[in-house]
Amino acid sequence: MHNARENIKTLKNWIEESNNIVFFGGAGVSTESGIPDFRSTDGLYSQKYDYPPETILSHSFFRQKPGEFYKFYRDKMICTDAEPNITHLKLAELEQKGKLKAVITQNIDGLHQKAGSKTVYELHGSVLRNYCMKCHKFYNIDAITCSTDIPLCNCGGTIKPDVVLYEEMLDHNIINASIAAISAADILIVGGTSLAVFPAANFVQYYTGKRLVLINKSDTPLDSRADLLLQCPLGEVFSQI
């Protein structure tokens, strides 16, 4: 515990000295807002569906069985009543102070924006944005939550969430902006991610600075590269920043 206290103190000092911080976050940022982590043992992967979540959340499954996809998606992927937690709020505050330059997230819940963050690169898209696959008309979340079965556009096209499914590519502009932000940062804080999901985990390799901070409850493949390692909940750290 003493060690964690010292490390949080170091992090506070680093943050005070920097005006170019980038935060790279995963599911652990949102679990403290009550959004389940996909890959944890009590998460989606161990629950009983006719198909494993990776199959349901794939591009080909969405095409072949959109009704089944939406049943799962509405049930498990949308948490409209979730509120930002201390981590989201502190990151937004650091941005307002001109210290944080970007949040790069693997989450699709929109909680960083809800907390007030402006520069947010959503690697995997957002449940809040949806569009018609035929005429490309934009729809908000209500189009999904207020419909039953397969949500359809006025033109008859299927409405698809603007989230990156398995088998789909990440958006190039978001990739490039994320890499540019990470490359230029003097502090990179990586939080709430096991760094096991590719290609997102590769992004950290673009950081060449001397202040790589890793905050995660369990081990990650990059722990040995971290200049500061905090193996504790994000809320515990950010409530002291």
Side-chain angles (χ1 to χ4, degrees):
M1 196 56 226
H2 171 70
N3 197 20
R5 254 205 321 270
E6 283 303 306
N7 285 348
I8 292 171
K9 220 166 110 180
T10 302
L11 179 58
K12 280 172 74 166
N13 293 338
W14 285 5
I15 288 172
E16 269 162 36
E17 293 164 11
S18 174
N19 293 315
N20 192 347
I21 303 164
V22 170
F23 180 84
F24 181 95
V29 179
S30 293
T31 46
E32 290 175 37
S33 289
I35 292 179
D37 174 6
F38 249 54
R39 289 172 180 75
S40 64
T41 42
D42 54 346
L44 296 184
Y45 277 60
S46 54
Q47 292 173 7
K48 296 289 167 275
Y49 270 83
D50 293 344
Y51 305 88
E54 281 131 322
T55 304
I56 299 174
L57 296 173
S58 68
H59 180 81
S60 43
F61 190 91
F62 175 78
R63 288 283 197 179
Q64 287 152 17
K65 294 184 163 67
E68 286 279 320
F69 170 90
Y70 271 112
K71 208 162 68 180
F72 179 89
Y73 183 82
R74 279 193 193 92
D75 191 21
K76 294 290 173 196
M77 305 305 289
I78 297 176
C79 305
T80 44
D81 51 354
E83 290 298 329
N85 59 54
I86 187 73
T87 302
H88 296 108
L89 296 167
K90 282 287 162 139
L91 290 168
E93 194 185 297
L94 287 172
E95 184 187 48
Q96 278 152 13
K97 288 180 173 164
K99 290 188 162 294
L100 186 89
K101 292 298 179 251
V103 166
I104 301 160
T105 181
Q106 300 175 68
N107 299 331
I108 57 174
D109 48 48
L111 288 178
H112 284 292
Q113 290 92 331
K114 204 172 181 179
S117 287
K118 300 279 185 277
T119 305
V120 182
Y121 299 126
E122 295 172 308
L123 295 173
H124 298 153
S126 170
V127 296
L128 304 179
R129 297 189 300 269
N130 306 275
Y131 62 90
C132 170
M133 292 172 77
K134 204 161 145 193
C135 73
H136 300 292
K137 183 180 170 192
F138 176 85
Y139 285 92
N140 66 17
I141 188 108
D142 301 345
I144 310 295
T145 52
C146 299
S147 62
T148 51
D149 202 30
I150 303 162
L152 297 175
C153 176
N154 309 333
C155 81
T158 301
I159 298 171
K160 180 184 185 289
D162 188 9
V163 300
V164 179
L165 301 176
Y166 288 101
E167 306 163 352
E168 292 180 345
M169 303 286 284
L170 302 192
D171 180 301
H172 272 294
N173 296 331
I174 292 172
I175 290 176
N176 293 338
S178 301
I179 290 171
I182 288 171
S183 305
D186 37 280
I187 300 177
L188 177 62
I189 303 174
V190 179
T193 171
S194 60
L195 292 170
V197 181
F198 290 89
N202 282 338
F203 284 83
V204 181
Q205 309 293 352
Y206 288 93
Y207 178 68
T208 53
K210 299 273 184 287
R211 291 181 166 183
L212 174 61
V213 182
L214 277 189
I215 309 168
N216 199 50
K217 286 191 279 194
S218 55
D219 298 343
T220 83
L222 283 185
D223 286 359
S224 59
R225 254 201 71 188
D227 301 295
L228 195 58
L229 183 64
L230 287 146
Q231 290 189 316
C232 53
L234 278 159
E236 199 180 296
V237 177
F238 277 94
S239 59
Q240 297 177 62
I241 297 299

